[in-house]
Amino acid sequence: MREYDADVHGELMARIVLASSSPRRRELLTRAGIRFTVVEPPEDAALPPGICADLAAQLIARQKAVAVAASQPAGSFVIGTNTIVVGPTGPLGKPGTPERAQAMLHELRGLRHTVLTGICVIVAQTDREALGLGRSAVKMHDYSDEAVHTYVNSGEPLDRAGAYAI
């Protein structure tokens, strides 16, 4: 557990806990000047087949927040998030392998697709929580095979939903 001191005014703030292993989410909170602690949640749980991507993004975000909130002091605000990229063939998770990353990027290149981000905020040791969903339309450039191959070989897309990040 690491604390990120981004409280530029030195004011007393509620304890905020980010239930995420994402460096990008840490950067966003830091840039916003928010003081927070990171507690990495367990790996994403599998959801029943046939669940819509909108609900899946929110439920996985909630699972992360619930898992972390159980160990936090009362009154802590625990933020769980999850991103799902929805391509022409359906939801795309994290590729995990270079071959799967390349297939995802080939599927998405040159096309408009949807990126969903579920968010759940839980007040630890209470029954208070809020769920939300962000939806973005993304048009990916029509990258060459060589550009896709180079990007995949960097290793960067392996832990990112849809095999990319903006």
Side-chain angles (χ1 to χ4, degrees):
M1 180 165 36
R2 292 190 359 218
E3 188 162 313
Y4 290 75
D5 189 298
D7 180 9
V8 295
H9 303 293
E11 297 174 6
L12 181 62
M13 298 176 67
R15 179 176 164 86
I16 297 173
V17 180
L18 177 62
S20 176
S21 58
S22 168
R24 293 160 296 283
R25 291 197 171 91
R26 293 175 189 169
E27 181 183 351
L28 286 171
L29 288 178
T30 300
R31 283 186 180 186
I34 297 171
R35 184 177 181 182
F36 63 100
T37 301
V38 173
V39 177
E40 293 189 14
E43 289 297 314
D44 298 347
L47 292 171
I51 191 167
C52 73
D54 290 22
L55 184 56
Q58 293 176 80
L59 289 178
I60 294 171
R62 185 178 185 278
Q63 289 171 349
K64 292 176 182 181
V66 166
V68 171
S71 66
Q72 298 306 304
S76 298
F77 288 86
V78 180
I79 304 168
T81 60
N82 187 68
T83 298
I84 295 177
V85 173
V86 182
T89 62
L92 303 172
K94 296 177 182 177
T97 67
E99 296 77 21
R100 182 73 181 123
Q102 191 154 330
M104 287 180 178
L105 293 168
H106 282 289
E107 178 180 336
L108 295 172
R109 72 178 173 181
L111 299 178
R112 182 175 298 277
H113 58 278
T114 302
V115 177
L116 305 168
T117 300
I119 183 168
C120 180
V121 179
I122 293 179
V123 181
Q125 312 304 322
T126 73
D127 60 357
R128 295 171 45 198
E129 67 178 64
L131 277 174
L133 180 73
R135 177 186 307 273
S136 300
V138 176
K139 172 93 170 36
M140 185 176 281
H141 185 74
D142 192 6
Y143 295 104
S144 68
D145 288 346
E146 183 180 330
V148 169
H149 183 73
T150 299
Y151 180 58
V152 168
N153 283 342
S154 75
E156 190 174 325
L158 299 183
D159 72 336
R160 297 171 182 216
Y164 77 94
I166 296 175

